[in-house]
């Protein structure tokens, strides 16, 4: 009968096990494919269309007494470019207009929680344009979280990219768009996110939006930033500006004021 050295057998078993584990550790697993814009879009359900009430003739909404006037129809003195140079978008009679290639503009002041009133008008030249190619711009809370500006009048696009959406996140409850060339009104109540000492989220940002007097975002939780490609995430930050996007379309803006809360 052959006598087996128990210590030798145990050592051999350990060697075999380690070899197996080493082989196992080297196994290759599939990696996720690169992100594309379509991965964060959804088309259904489409927000139902609601015709907003008509504004009273020549009845401009004036700012309340404690508001900070961000645009009074005369100049862009409250705005600047990303590099701190003066904002140079086109000025018209009582409005300013996105000037293709000039880049985004943002307020010189930074904000946290606020009430924002802003009016915008999509261009009337829509021949051959559709989906995201019509009257595209955006309003970024604290320079990070985008409230979509888009001509969605008889123009379908992905639901979480429509006018009034939190871009690539939450579709508007309804589509309250006016015709191109007419003025749309956004009234926004925004609560900024709060962060813990370690940089993690204590409470996410929230937003309520009325579009032409119609509720389209109701205390909506903002899930993080709003990238074109990828999914939302938070990165710790403090106060930030209101930023308007240059997407290449001549969208007009007027009557902009903000109240800090």
């Amino acid at each position: 009968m052959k006598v087996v050295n128990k210590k030798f057998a145990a050592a051999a078993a350990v060697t075999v096990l380690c070899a197996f584990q080493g082989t196992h550790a080297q196994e290759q697993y599939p990696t996720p494919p690169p992100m594309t814009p379509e991965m964060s879009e959804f088309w259904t359900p489409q927000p139902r269309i609601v015709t907003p009430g008509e504004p009273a003739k020549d009845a401009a909404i004036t700012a309340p007494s404690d508001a900070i006037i961000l645009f009074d129809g005369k100049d862009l003195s409250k705005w600047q470019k990303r590099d701190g140079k003066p904002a140079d978008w086109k000025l018209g009679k009582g409005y300013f207009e996105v000037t293709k290639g000039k880049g985004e503009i943002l307020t010189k002041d930074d904000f946290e929680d606020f009430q924002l009133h802003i009016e915008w008008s999509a261009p009337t030249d829509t021949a051959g344009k559709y989906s995201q190619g019509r009257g595209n711009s955006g309003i970024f809370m604290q320079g990070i979280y985008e409230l979509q500006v888009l001509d969605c009048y008889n123009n379908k696009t992905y639901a979480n990219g429509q006018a009034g959406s939190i871009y690539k996140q939450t579709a508007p409850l309804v589509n309250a768009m006016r015709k191109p060339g007419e003025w749309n009104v956004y009234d926004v109540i925004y609560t900024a996110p709060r962060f813990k000492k370690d940089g993690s989220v204590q409470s996410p940002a929230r937003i309520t939006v009325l579009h032409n007097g119609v509720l389209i975002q109701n205390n909506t939780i903002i899930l993080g930033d709003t990238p074109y490609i990828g999914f939302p995430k938070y990165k710790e930050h403090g106060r930030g500006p209101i930023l308007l996007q240059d997407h290449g379309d001549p969208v007009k803006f007027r009557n902009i004021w903000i109240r800090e809360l």
Side-chain angles (χ1 to χ4, degrees):
M1 180 176 176
K2 188 175 181 181
V3 178
V4 178
N5 187 311
K6 293 182 178 181
K7 290 184 178 180
F8 176 79
V14 170
T15 301
V16 171
L17 178 61
C18 290
F20 174 77
Q21 289 177 334
T23 302
H24 185 73
Q26 294 174 9
E27 287 185 23
Q28 298 298 312
Y29 296 97
T31 57
M35 286 292 299
T36 66
E38 294 76 17
M39 288 181 178
S40 53
E41 299 169 3
F42 62 84
W43 284 75
T44 59
Q46 286 281 310
R48 64 186 177 89
I49 296 172
V50 169
T51 303
E54 292 296 326
K57 188 175 181 180
D58 299 325
I61 300 174
T62 57
S65 60
D66 62 347
I68 300 168
I69 308 301
L70 296 178
F71 181 67
D72 61 1
K74 298 176 182 178
D75 60 54
L76 287 167
S77 60
K78 297 292 181 71
W79 300 80
Q80 61 185 6
K81 300 177 77 168
R82 178 72 78 174
D83 59 7
K85 294 180 180 179
D88 54 358
W89 285 7
K90 178 182 176 181
L91 277 169
K93 189 176 180 180
Y95 68 86
F96 63 86
E97 181 180 301
V98 177
T99 307
K100 184 177 180 179
K102 293 290 186 178
E104 62 203 14
I105 64 171
L106 54 153
T107 56
K108 293 179 179 179
D109 292 331
D110 291 333
F111 304 96
E112 193 169 53
D113 304 338
F114 55 79
Q115 173 187 350
L116 174 69
H117 176 94
I118 186 167
E119 301 176 17
W120 58 276
S121 176
T124 55
D125 181 13
T126 60
K129 299 178 181 179
Y130 60 93
S131 189
Q132 296 287 304
R134 278 177 48 173
N136 195 328
S137 184
I139 304 163
F140 288 74
M141 312 301 128
Q142 299 190 287
I144 301 171
Y145 313 105
E146 183 181 7
L147 173 62
Q148 175 74 313
V149 168
L150 188 73
D151 175 11
C152 285
Y153 188 83
N154 291 334
N155 175 40
K156 287 187 178 180
T157 190
Y158 44 93
N160 60 343
Q162 291 208 7
S165 65
I166 308 308
Y167 186 65
K168 290 292 188 81
Q169 293 186 28
T170 308
L173 295 171
V174 295
N175 177 352
M177 188 74 196
R178 296 194 191 281
K179 295 178 181 178
E182 296 184 4
W183 287 99
N184 289 272
V185 179
Y186 279 166
D187 283 297
V188 178
I189 308 297
Y190 173 79
T191 302
R194 288 344 191 238
F195 298 90
K196 299 177 183 178
K197 289 183 179 180
D198 63 1
S200 61
V201 178
Q202 177 175 317
S203 57
R206 290 179 177 268
I207 191 167
T208 295
V209 183
L210 282 80
H211 183 188
N212 297 324
V214 179
L215 184 67
I216 61 168
Q217 298 287 349
N218 187 13
N219 197 29
T220 298
I221 293 175
I222 298 177
L223 304 176
D225 59 357
T226 50
Y228 176 53
I229 298 176
F231 294 109
K233 58 184 181 298
Y234 272 107
K235 184 177 180 180
E236 184 181 9
H237 64 84
R239 295 166 67 87
I242 304 300
L243 183 149
L244 302 180
Q245 182 185 51
D246 171 12
H247 202 278
D249 296 331
V251 177
K252 295 181 173 69
F253 293 92
R254 72 176 187 185
N255 195 15
I256 309 173
W257 50 263
I258 192 168
R259 295 181 61 248
E260 296 192 87
L261 301 177

